[in-house]
Amino acid sequence: MSVALTKPWIPLEQSAVAALPGQLGVFEIADEHREVSYIGFAGSKSLFGLRSELSEWLDRGSYFRVEVTTAYRTRHLELLMDHHRRCGCYPEQNSESELAGLGRLS
Amino acid sequence: MIVQMVRRFVREEIVPLELSLDPDTDQLPPDESERLKDMVKDMGLYGLGIPPEYGGPELDMVTMTLIAMEMSQHRAGLYAPCYGVFGGAGLAQLFEANEAQKEAYLYPTLRGEKRGFFGLTEPSGGSDPARAIQTKAVRDGDDWVINGGKIFISGADRADYGLVFARTSADKGRGGVTCFIVDTNTPGFHVRRVVHTLRSAHYATELQFEDMRVPHGNVLGEVNKGFAIANDRLSRQRIPYSAGCIGVAIKANELAVEYAQVRETFGAPLASRQSIQWMLVDNEIDIQQARWATLEAANLSDLGEPFRKQAAMAKLIASEGASRVVDRCMQIHGGYGVTKDFPFERWYREMRIRRIGEGPSEVQRHIIARDILGSSLR
Ligand SMILES: Cc1cc2nc3c(=O)[nH]c(=O)nc-3n(C[C@H](O)[C@H](O)[C@H](O)COP(=O)(O)OP(=O)(O)OC[C@H]3O[C@@H](n4cnc5c(N)ncnc54)[C@H](O)[C@@H]3O)c2cc1C
């Protein structure tokens, strides 16, 4: 069973990010080969939700995709665990502190 | 005295720290968590839930209940009271384990080295698990082979082991269920997904067991008598569970009383309006009723008297009453009440689960009715 994000990738450009909603949710950043390099979330502390979070990533990836959800914390952890289940590793740009105490799916 | 220490700790350490955290988090940054754990240890209050014979402090159930009412008085308090810095107590059923099982699971859990989960509910139903359990365990030599699945299991993805209830005889009711201690690294044990709910803290998971081999030595208690273990745990748990609801209601009401006195509309404070006063009065009544019912159940448990009916009543009154209190406080705060700038929206979501988890309201009424009418009632 896969719980992965399956939305189409969008080029990570200023105009696309500016068009994003200011809602809470999760997002993935990918490199030019569409390999996921970061999984993040826009939580209630983000000023403009997904739009502000993604604008921090403009120079650090080639593609992105988002999912609007108020359960952003549990969905974020689930996406990280699912990535590990499928790839055997975590996305290279996620820091140690984001991965601390993470569970596992199998 | 202890209750006041905990109250001060929550108000001076947890509440201010929480302002800087994501409103939906259930974890403290590791350095803050360690700092606060050290403080709690210095206060002599670490491991409050551990029974005295296992090294915990000598506290009666009434005091534990009063402490639990304090520990939940912050945003994450309902499901992550004080973010766990008072230490865990382990799964209550493990106190019934044999010595080898205690060595392998209970003591490491009490030392904070291992975590467990409680796996009872299945997709086929949680209110009446004795009849609903479809997960099967079949004896094969010195092992049992388990096939099936569980749903809504909190914390299984981070656990080292869990208690899994499975059907071991043709008996369709409570007589045919056995409790197994299962290591989560056992081949055939799978955590398939996170089950997203209204709850921000401690998400639930869905489990699948595929030809999972568990040694006979990992049967907890006796074969076909696992349901008594589950039931005992559920009854006892209802007391602190109710206390957690009451703590949140007290804090929500405190915020609403303050706000009603400073927020002005139509030229006067909200508190001067009778309709607002009556909301605050109803809050007070709901809180008092829940407090009395919960403390009565705790007191009976301390006296060694039957408390199943009283614990069910406490759970019913506290979870339903606290839900009403949080709802009224949200109303008094108007638009701010539903923002993530205030804790009400999280309490509102998470409190809704309290009327379902640990036996839904209807099941509590069923237990009370059975007590009144006799156990022949099914
Ligand atoms: C966030 C969360 C975490 C959980 N964590 C755990 C966990 O860690 N471990 C675990 O084992 N379980 C866990 N549960 C499961 C929980 O205990 C069950 O959801 C609960 O027991 C109800 O079971 P059900 O959802 O299958 O509802 P059902 O049993 O299908 O009942 C549906 C509804 O019908 C009502 N009902 C049932 N019987 C009657 C009747 N005779 N008369 C009138 N009404 C009736 C119920 O009250 C309920 O409202 C968790 C649930 C949630 C939501």
Side-chain angles (χ1 to χ4, degrees), chain B residues 82-102:
Chain B
C82 295
Y83 295 92
V85 298
F86 282 80
L91 294 160
Q93 296 74 15
L94 281 181
F95 294 110
E96 312 295 321
N98 62 36
E99 201 44 43
Q101 293 169 341
K102 281 182 182 167

Side-chain angles (χ1 to χ4, degrees), chain B residues 253-299:
Chain B
N253 191 41
E254 190 182 298
L255 294 173
V257 168
E258 273 171 30
Y259 192 75
Q261 291 176 91
V262 295
R263 182 73 167 179
E264 294 199 359
T265 63
F266 302 97
L270 288 176
S272 67
R273 316 289 178 193
Q274 195 177 41
S275 59
I276 300 290
Q277 290 169 6
W278 286 15
M279 284 194 214
L280 297 174
V281 169
D282 288 343
N283 283 353
E284 199 66 27
I285 293 169
D286 276 329
I287 291 168
Q288 284 300 346
Q289 279 177 345
R291 207 201 306 249
W292 288 329
T294 307
L295 288 173
E296 195 204 355
N299 187 41

Side-chain angles (χ1 to χ4, degrees), chain A residues 1 3 24 41 43-45 70-78 81 85 100-106, chain B residues 19-27 157-159 184-185 189-194 196 199-200 203 340:
Chain A
M1 183 197 298
V3 289
L24 309 179
F41 69 86
S44 333
K45 295 267 175 198
T70 51
Y72 56 89
R73 285 198 75 87
T74 51
R75 183 72 173 124
H76 178 233
L77 297 174
E78 181 178 49
M81 291 191 285
R85 163 166 62 186
L102 212 56
R104 58 181 180 275
L105 299 177
S106 65
Chain B
L19 291 175
S20 63
L21 302 177
D22 184 286
D24 281 297
T25 193
D26 59 354
Q27 283 179 333
D157 63 314
R158 299 185 196 188
T184 54
N185 60 6
F189 175 91
H190 301 286
V191 182
R192 290 302 192 195
R193 66 177 178 119
V194 170
H196 301 280
R199 189 163 82 182
S200 298
Y203 50 84
K340 282 186 180 282

Side-chain angles (χ1 to χ4, degrees), chain B residues 79 118-128 151-155 197 199 202 204 233 353 356-363 366:
Chain B
Y79 280 99
F118 183 78
L120 182 66
T121 306
E122 301 199 0
S124 46
S127 300
D128 180 20
I151 193 143
F152 296 131
I153 308 305
S154 306
T197 66
R199 189 163 82 182
H202 303 300
R233 182 248 192 195
I353 299 176
I356 294 171
E358 303 277 334
S361 294
E362 294 75 17
V363 170
H366 185 68

Side-chain angles (χ1 to χ4, degrees), chain A residues 3-5 15 24-25 29 32 35 45 51 57 61 64 67 74-75 79 87 92 97 99-100 102:
Chain A
V3 289
L5 264 183
S15 56
L24 309 179
I29 303 288
E32 64 278 21
E35 297 289 339
K45 295 267 175 198
R51 194 160 63 236
W57 283 87
F64 76 96
E67 181 180 290
T74 51
R75 183 72 173 124
L79 287 175
C87 310
E92 58 188 22
S97 62
L99 306 173
L102 212 56

